[in-house]
Amino acid sequence: MANFSYSDYQQVIARAQANSEGGNGTKVGFFKMKNDKDEALIRLNVTSLDSLQFATVHQLGAAQKWMKVGCLNPVGSYQDACPLCAAVKGGNTSIGKASKKVYIQMLVSYKDAVTGQFAAAIPVIWERPAAFSQEIANLLKDYGDLTQRVFKITRNGVAGNMQTTYSISYIPIYDKPEAVSTDFSAFTNFNIAKHSYWEKSVGDINVFLNTGSFPEAAK
């Protein structure tokens, strides 16, 4: 139905905000560094490896604005419990193969390329290949509770470069709350599956595969 009321619109907005807001109502964004040698200060919301969140996801094609959907196969399994895996196996090239991701909660203070000043820290999620968790493990080994440390992160590689890497170094001079906030309350009761990818049922996924769209109730 094309027509809707103001009340309907407000409910849609409220649902969208609930999907992106953290525990204190603060919007949680995505970590983005676009240019070679871009820098930022970060404080990681990681006290142990158990602080990290992992998921196996499929990336859908351009028609779905590159939406990501959780894989239904158990981790390490290649069963046909996931219709998306079966579709990829059957030759559907508009669906990405299942890929393992780690989602890192952090506060980031971006550096202005013109002024050289660091902006106020904001809460973000950094999505990386699951293997990146080993780098986090190394930081934990060297520095302990990472919520108590400030690191500088530098992007190495231009946009679109598949070889882009990120270097992370400890910066004691900025290791203070006035430089990068220690307030991680935005991540209280935070649901990564409502922020970075969607969890869909077998039925919803089958509808998508047959029609190119998820059922209205599942959106």
Side-chain angles (χ1 to χ4, degrees):
M1 182 175 68
N3 296 328
F4 58 88
S5 68
Y6 180 77
S7 177
D8 294 331
Y9 173 69
Q10 290 300 306
Q11 291 180 36
V12 170
I13 295 300
R15 286 198 299 271
Q17 289 177 338
N19 288 343
S20 62
E21 287 179 354
N24 64 359
T26 300
K27 184 176 178 64
V28 177
F30 293 93
F31 178 62
K32 296 179 180 179
M33 297 182 80
K34 297 181 178 180
N35 303 311
D36 185 37
K37 304 308 178 185
D38 274 356
E39 294 181 348
L41 300 178
I42 60 173
R43 192 182 293 273
L44 301 163
N45 190 21
V46 178
T47 58
S48 71
L49 290 176
D50 290 336
S51 302
L52 301 177
Q53 295 175 291
F54 295 84
T56 305
V57 299
H58 292 271
Q59 184 165 281
L60 307 185
Q64 293 295 319
K65 297 182 179 179
W66 306 107
M67 176 193 296
K68 292 178 181 177
V69 176
C71 178
L72 297 183
N73 277 329
V75 63
S77 169
Y78 298 94
Q79 303 170 5
D80 288 332
C82 178
L84 293 173
C85 283
V88 171
K89 185 178 179 180
N92 189 326
T93 58
S94 67
I95 299 171
K97 293 181 179 179
S99 58
K100 296 177 178 61
K101 302 291 186 180
V102 60
Y103 297 90
I104 305 164
Q105 299 176 0
M106 64 187 192
L107 300 171
V108 58
S109 173
Y110 291 108
K111 183 178 182 179
D112 188 294
V114 176
T115 67
Q117 299 298 308
F118 290 98
I122 58 174
V124 298
I125 293 294
W126 192 16
E127 180 191 274
R128 298 294 291 154
F132 187 79
S133 60
Q134 184 55 56
E135 185 156 350
I136 301 299
N138 292 337
L139 292 176
L140 282 165
K141 182 180 178 181
D142 292 339
Y143 301 104
D145 182 353
L146 300 183
T147 64
Q148 304 302 309
R149 299 286 183 265
V150 170
F151 298 89
K152 183 177 76 172
I153 184 168
T154 304
R155 176 183 173 125
N156 304 300
V158 297
N161 184 350
M162 298 300 291
Q163 303 303 315
T164 294
T165 61
Y166 296 87
S167 59
I168 301 176
S169 54
Y170 176 47
I171 307 295
I173 192 173
Y174 288 109
D175 201 351
K176 47 192 175 183
E178 53 267 38
V180 180
S181 172
T182 58
D183 181 9
F184 289 103
S185 60
F187 297 111
T188 301
N189 299 321
F190 182 76
N191 188 341
I192 191 67
K194 289 184 177 181
H195 179 274
S196 298
Y197 61 92
W198 290 102
E199 290 181 331
K200 301 292 186 181
S201 68
V202 170
D204 289 342
I205 291 174
N206 282 330
V207 169
F208 167 78
L209 291 172
N210 290 327
T211 67
S213 179
F214 288 104
E216 193 65 31
K219 292 183 179 179

